[in-house]
Amino acid sequence: MKKVAFYTLGCKLNYSESSSIGRMFEDKGYTKVEFNENPDIFIINTCSVTENADKKCRKIVREAQKINADGYVAIIGCYAQLKPKEISEIPGVDAVLGAAEKFRLVELIDTFEKAPSGQPAQVIASTIDNAVEYHTSYSLNDRTRTFLKVQDGCDYPCAYCTIPLARGKSRSDSIENIVKAARDIAARDVKEIVLTGVNIGDFGLRNGVREETFLDLIKALDEVEGIERFRISSIEPNLLTDEIIEFVAQSKRFAPHFHIPLQSGSNKVLGLMKRRYKRELYAERVAKIKSLMPDCCIGVDVIVGHAGETKELFEETYHFLNELEVSYLHVFTYSERENTTALAIRPVVPKTERAERSKMLHILSDKKKRFFYESQIGKEGKVLFEDEVQNGQMLGFTGNYVRVAVKYDPLLINETKEVRYDHINAEGLMEVTEIQEEILIH
């Protein structure tokens, strides 16, 4: 049978979908291989959050041609939905499938023919209004953790974002189906599930009607046997309710770790971005979490250089974050995207200034992370060890997202162990010198 390989760009949501589509191919008799193993079919799942993501897609197509010039190249994902004609004209691309069609790839692939040299690829991409079905997806790239999609699409028209145009309206599967997927994952000896989606706090919408809530979902998942740890990937601050925080604080399986997008610490910029909260609400959410879970890890998404962000407004963001009790930052440099309202906002921040602001926040993030790690030294926690070795050490994460390094021991792979945190090494990882159950690492 033919060999198929996937290359996934972008978010955890894309990884969960690539993995699920890959299993569809395997169920049909295809052999799933690595990208460099001369596959007959290359499937590239694209992102289009930044301009750089578009460029990456083109580069991967060129690499696929080098590996197998006769290989069939199909493009799916956000970039494919937003710019199908543009992609169809990339040399080497044979098919482009939109958001409503990508999960039909396995049934359509047999009808595709390789595009003649110099001719555009076949495009099967309907308008985003047709992306109304929900497909439960989860990744199985390693046996330690998996990304489980619980929600798709977004109804928030943020000024800078193309995701609603690429993925459609907010929609979800039922709690019953997601719990079934979690049990299937548990049966594969996976210990941690990361809940992912575009706007997971908006969980529960089906056909435009809210039938269930995210709080209902996490309460149900907390009862799933076999999964040791659930982690919430990202949740909007206006959807992160006191009830959700309080439940996580006393739950059996949900990790004390929140990733909460901020995007700007300036209320004026938040207004320009069309975000649905002010920084005061964000600070309240952080304070509530820390009051119930002092050792909770809190990650922050922030965009620098957004149109309209003056030097003074950026400084508001910097000082707000500096004072906030958060653990790390994910810093994104603003890039202009077609069909977004941010294009009309002035002033435009020069790219050199965007880069300088990004550098400042990356340095701040390093300081925040170091401070958080230092606050954990001498404490105890549970680490889920992975099958990853660096310089003779294996790595793992605690529930509150501290990256831990210990001397390699194959018995620890995919095991959760109580540890005591000793010190931070030169690579910024937490070193462990004591593991319970009489396993001592020196």
Side-chain angles (χ1 to χ4, degrees):
M1 293 298 293
K2 290 184 176 181
K3 297 183 293 184
V4 61
F6 287 76
Y7 195 99
T8 303
L9 297 161
C11 62
K12 297 179 179 70
L13 186 55
N14 272 5
Y15 280 93
S16 70
E17 292 181 339
S18 289
S19 188
S20 291
I21 294 171
R23 290 193 295 278
M24 291 179 183
F25 273 86
E26 289 177 306
D27 290 344
K28 197 174 178 181
Y30 288 81
T31 301
K32 190 176 175 183
V33 299
E34 295 298 323
F35 207 78
N36 61 353
E37 293 180 339
N38 200 38
D40 302 291
I41 301 168
F42 297 89
I43 298 172
I44 304 172
N45 194 353
T46 61
C47 170
S48 194
V49 172
T50 67
E51 182 181 7
N52 194 41
D54 297 356
K55 293 177 181 176
K56 287 180 180 178
C57 174
R58 293 174 176 271
K59 182 175 181 179
I60 299 304
V61 171
R62 291 196 297 269
E63 291 302 314
Q65 288 185 291
K66 291 178 185 177
I67 293 166
N68 182 3
D70 296 322
Y72 193 91
V73 178
I75 311 294
I76 61 175
C78 293
Y79 184 28
Q81 177 63 39
L82 292 171
K83 298 183 178 180
K85 184 177 185 299
E86 179 179 302
I87 298 173
S88 73
E89 295 170 353
I90 297 175
V93 173
D94 299 298
V96 185
L97 285 82
E101 292 81 21
K102 60 187 172 185
F103 279 92
R104 296 178 53 214
L105 179 57
V106 71
E107 66 183 72
L108 294 172
I109 196 76
D110 290 339
T111 68
F112 293 166
E113 294 182 1
K114 189 163 180 60
S117 179
Q119 296 297 311
Q122 182 176 3
V123 175
I124 306 177
S126 55
T127 63
I128 196 59
D129 293 338
N130 290 309
V132 294
E133 292 186 13
Y134 183 84
H135 300 270
T136 297
S137 305
Y138 55 86
S139 64
L140 284 174
N141 295 325
D142 64 65
R143 61 182 179 139
T144 302
R145 74 172 51 82
T146 188
F147 301 115
L148 171 60
K149 183 174 85 169
V150 302
Q151 183 273 342
D152 200 354
C154 187
D155 296 337
Y156 287 12
C158 295
Y160 53 83
C161 186
T162 59
I163 297 301
L165 302 175
R167 284 190 167 270
K169 292 186 177 297
S170 180
R171 55 200 185 276
S172 312
D173 203 346
S174 67
I175 289 177
E176 180 183 1
N177 285 347
I178 291 173
V179 168
K180 180 181 181 299
R183 289 178 177 145
D184 290 344
I185 292 166
R188 298 172 182 263
D189 197 31
V190 174
K191 300 295 178 64
E192 178 178 311
I193 290 178
V194 182
L195 305 183
T196 188
V198 177
N199 188 0
I200 64 175
D202 201 33
F203 173 85
L205 284 174
R206 286 193 291 282
N207 298 317
V209 178
R210 187 168 305 285
E211 299 183 4
E212 295 166 317
T213 69
F214 186 67
L215 181 61
D216 297 332
L217 174 66
I218 62 176
K219 285 182 176 179
L221 289 173
D222 204 46
E223 301 299 324
V224 174
E225 298 290 339
I227 298 298
E228 295 187 9
R229 182 188 293 165
F230 286 95
R231 198 180 296 276
I232 299 170
S233 64
S234 179
I235 185 167
E236 294 284 306
N238 55 302
L239 298 175
L240 179 57
T241 63
D242 284 349
E243 291 78 11
I244 291 172
I245 296 169
E246 289 162 2
F247 178 78
V248 170
Q250 56 82 47
S251 71
K252 293 177 287 188
R253 293 182 171 86
F254 274 82
H257 174 208
F258 289 95
H259 193 94
I260 315 170
L262 171 65
Q263 311 307 12
S264 176
S266 161
N267 282 338
K268 182 173 181 178
V269 177
L270 288 174
L272 293 173
M273 291 177 167
K274 297 184 180 178
R275 300 293 286 169
R276 299 192 175 197
Y277 54 87
K278 293 186 176 181
R279 71 182 200 167
E280 288 78 11
L281 172 69
Y282 195 97
E284 289 174 8
R285 299 295 83 206
V286 171
K288 176 72 174 182
I289 292 168
K290 285 296 186 176
S291 71
L292 297 178
M293 296 169 277
D295 291 322
C296 184
C297 180
I298 302 176
V300 184
D301 284 343
V302 58
I303 297 172
V304 295
H306 190 275
E309 183 190 67
T310 63
K311 181 175 183 289
E312 293 74 21
L313 295 178
F314 168 72
E315 289 174 352
E316 279 189 37
T317 292
Y318 185 93
H319 293 304
F320 179 70
L321 287 167
N322 190 45
E323 297 299 320
L324 207 59
E325 197 175 357
V326 295
S327 312
Y328 64 91
L329 312 176
H330 279 176
V331 183
F332 299 89
T333 301
Y334 171 73
S335 63
E336 289 80 358
R337 311 307 291 150
E338 291 182 18
N339 301 314
T340 58
T341 58
L343 293 175
I345 300 173
R346 296 293 182 271
V348 174
V349 181
K351 290 188 176 181
T352 53
E353 183 63 26
R354 298 181 207 181
E356 184 60 30
R357 294 176 190 181
S358 175
K359 181 179 178 181
M360 289 176 65
L361 287 189
H362 275 99
I363 292 171
L364 179 61
S365 179
D366 290 342
K367 292 179 179 178
K368 289 281 187 183
K369 184 178 178 181
R370 180 83 184 191
F371 181 83
F372 177 64
Y373 273 36
E374 288 176 345
S375 74
Q376 301 301 298
I377 293 174
K379 296 181 180 181
E380 295 183 351
K382 291 184 177 180
V383 179
L384 176 58
F385 288 102
E386 304 170 355
D387 188 10
E388 182 178 350
V389 181
Q390 292 182 8
N391 301 320
Q393 291 183 310
M394 62 190 305
L395 307 178
F397 278 104
T398 64
N400 64 341
Y401 213 55
V402 174
R403 197 79 188 270
V404 169
V406 300
K407 183 180 177 182
Y408 174 71
D409 184 339
L411 291 177
L412 293 179
I413 295 173
N414 201 34
E415 296 292 333
T416 303
K417 298 295 181 182
E418 291 276 358
V419 303
R420 182 176 291 114
Y421 311 131
D422 184 69
H423 67 276
I424 303 169
N425 67 20
E427 288 75 38
L429 304 173
M430 185 71 77
E431 293 264 354
V432 175
T433 55
E434 182 178 328
I435 298 180
Q436 292 188 11
E437 295 188 4
E438 298 182 351
I439 300 176
L440 300 179
I441 307 297
H442 298 289

